[in-house]
Amino acid sequence: MVDVWTKEYEKYMVGQEVMVEITGKIGAMAVVLGFVVPTILVLLTVIASLYAMENVPELYVAEPNCQAYAALLGLLALIPYYLLLYAFRAAIKQKVTFRLLTVD
């Protein structure tokens, strides 16, 4: 159940079954922001932290813990990303439009 704001509110009733349609461009943007960018961010963070832990003496971590720390850093890298998405939610919301279609 979601709230919908529309100028044509008299066409719809609470509980009415509708189909929600978005453009392919908006769907692609949602996939990129929701899956592609976070995946790349985690992978790059893990690879960079593994490299740094092995090659920078100040950051050296013993072998069994090296991968665990790299994985943890990869997940922690998502925090600023999702905070940025949250901060720019108004701008993203303006670009995302949905179309309601009644189901017969």
Side-chain angles (χ1 to χ4, degrees), residues 66-85:
C66 184
Q67 294 172 353
Y69 285 136
L72 181 62
L73 288 172
L75 292 176
L76 290 175
L78 292 176
I79 294 172
Y81 174 72
Y82 283 113
L83 287 174
L84 277 172
L85 276 184

Side-chain angles (χ1 to χ4, degrees), residues 17-88:
E17 193 172 324
V18 295
M19 203 167 24
V20 180
E21 182 180 81
I22 61 172
T23 63
K25 183 179 177 183
I26 298 301
M29 182 182 77
V31 169
V32 168
L33 291 176
F35 297 105
V36 176
V37 173
T39 301
I40 291 171
L41 180 63
V42 168
L43 287 174
L44 289 177
T45 304
V46 168
I47 291 168
S49 59
L50 282 172
Y51 177 82
M53 285 184 223
E54 290 177 5
N55 297 312
V56 178
E58 294 83 19
L59 298 176
Y60 179 75
V61 177
E63 186 60 40
N65 297 326
C66 184
Q67 294 172 353
Y69 285 136
L72 181 62
L73 288 172
L75 292 176
L76 290 175
L78 292 176
I79 294 172
Y81 174 72
Y82 283 113
L83 287 174
L84 277 172
L85 276 184
Y86 184 78
F88 289 103

Side-chain angles (χ1 to χ4, degrees), residues 89-101:
R89 70 187 180 279
I92 295 170
K93 192 177 192 179
Q94 288 179 349
K95 292 181 184 263
V96 176
T97 55
F98 298 96
R99 200 172 104 183
L100 293 178
L101 305 171

